[in-house]
Amino acid sequence: GRGLRPTTRPVPGAVCLPGPERLIALQRVLRHATALRIYGPAVIGAGATAGAWEAVLPGMRLTLTLSPDASRGFSGEGGVLDALTADEAGEDAELISVLLAWEPRIDVADMAVSSGLTPERVRAALTRLGTSGRVGYDTAEAAYFHRELPYDAQRVERHNPRLRSARALVAAGAVTLEGAIGTVTAEDGHVHRVRDEAGVLSCSCVWWAKYRGGRGPCKHALAVRMVRRGAAAEQDTVRSSDRNADQNMVRVDGGVR
């Protein structure tokens, strides 16, 4: 239609508008705007979600991104923590950063070919670079772009206490894997069970009961994911060593040496 239709409940195709008074930040540029675009995730359940309001102006676009609640910022929300836990994410990020070349639009598939990494590892590397201000994400282009903001690369760890706590749990040997279930003994001695439900890790801790993943994984789930990745990497190394050993075996005088 020619306008927006407000609704008080989540419906397909709607975008959540949490804290509508915050839209006043666009007031000064609206008289110059030629179009308005609104972005948001698919509506699932009744929980508040983030949204982006984009004013299209002559020669530029201005995007106002709203957090799920006026009292909540984006720092420490935890939506990117899974990508940051990967052991290779730091090295991958350094490799990808060399290939960025101030591109206004970063194609993940092309970057995967250039770097020799999988698209999943490229996205994880871009996530890490994004948290340190070295790439941004353009909602209109649905793509990352290269930029350099004066951020400290170590701020990722400082601003994500759950990530630091998860690393401490792994270092302390507090994680035990039992098939699809991981057991984590927290600092206070309480034992938490982390279950894998279709790739989503749930936990018996208070954090998960309160937020149900709405603010990212808890520290126990992060710790289990780290240990799982480490175990998988170790198995890959063993299999690779076995293959190399098989290839090095030669047949001499009817026997194998």
Side-chain angles (χ1 to χ4, degrees):
R2 298 182 57 84
L4 303 177
R5 179 174 63 87
T7 175
T8 57
R9 58 187 179 86
V11 295
V15 175
C16 182
L17 174 54
E21 68 280 358
R22 294 184 287 175
L23 290 181
I24 197 172
L26 294 175
Q27 189 173 20
R28 294 177 62 184
V29 302
L30 283 182
R31 65 176 182 153
H32 305 290
T34 58
L36 176 69
R37 299 191 184 103
I38 310 173
Y39 303 86
V43 175
I44 301 176
T49 59
W53 292 65
E54 177 188 274
V56 182
L57 307 166
M60 66 173 289
R61 297 188 301 267
L62 176 64
T63 303
L64 173 66
T65 307
L66 303 179
S67 59
D69 188 88
S71 63
R72 286 168 59 182
F74 290 106
S75 177
E77 282 293 288
V80 300
L81 288 179
D82 277 335
L84 298 179
T85 59
D87 292 334
E88 68 275 6
E91 295 179 1
D92 292 350
E94 290 303 317
L95 172 59
I96 294 299
S97 68
V98 175
L99 303 174
L100 292 177
W102 296 102
E103 290 290 339
R105 179 186 174 94
I106 300 173
D107 188 284
V108 173
D110 290 345
M111 194 65 69
V113 173
S114 300
S115 63
L117 302 175
T118 64
E120 291 74 19
R121 287 179 64 174
V122 170
R123 290 191 184 92
L126 290 172
T127 296
R128 191 175 186 90
L129 291 171
T131 59
S132 59
R134 302 180 68 182
V135 298
Y137 188 82
D138 189 337
T139 51
E141 297 290 341
Y144 291 94
F145 62 91
H146 185 192
R147 70 177 181 190
E148 294 286 345
L149 296 180
Y151 286 176
D152 177 8
Q154 300 303 318
R155 68 189 292 271
V156 176
E157 296 281 341
R158 292 199 304 268
H159 288 191
N160 289 283
R162 268 176 286 160
L163 185 59
R164 296 198 309 270
S165 297
R167 294 196 194 282
L169 288 171
V170 174
V175 181
T176 303
L177 299 182
E178 303 171 1
I181 299 176
T183 302
V184 182
T185 303
E187 301 89 338
D188 57 4
H190 285 86
V191 177
H192 303 282
R193 296 176 71 82
V194 178
R195 296 180 179 275
D196 189 339
E197 301 173 355
V200 177
L201 298 184
S202 62
C203 185
S204 60
C205 69
V206 175
W207 174 275
W208 177 263
K210 184 176 181 180
Y211 297 114
R212 309 296 296 179
R215 294 196 178 187
C218 66
K219 61 183 179 182
H220 312 108
L222 284 173
V224 168
R225 196 176 294 279
M226 289 179 185
V227 173
R228 277 188 171 181
R229 283 174 174 160
E234 185 176 345
Q235 290 177 358
D236 289 342
T237 301
V238 171
R239 283 195 291 266
S240 178
S241 299
D242 291 343
R243 285 196 297 269
N244 292 335
D246 291 341
Q247 292 171 359
N248 291 331
M249 296 174 69
V250 295
R251 181 171 295 276
V252 179
D253 295 334
V256 176
R257 295 182 181 174

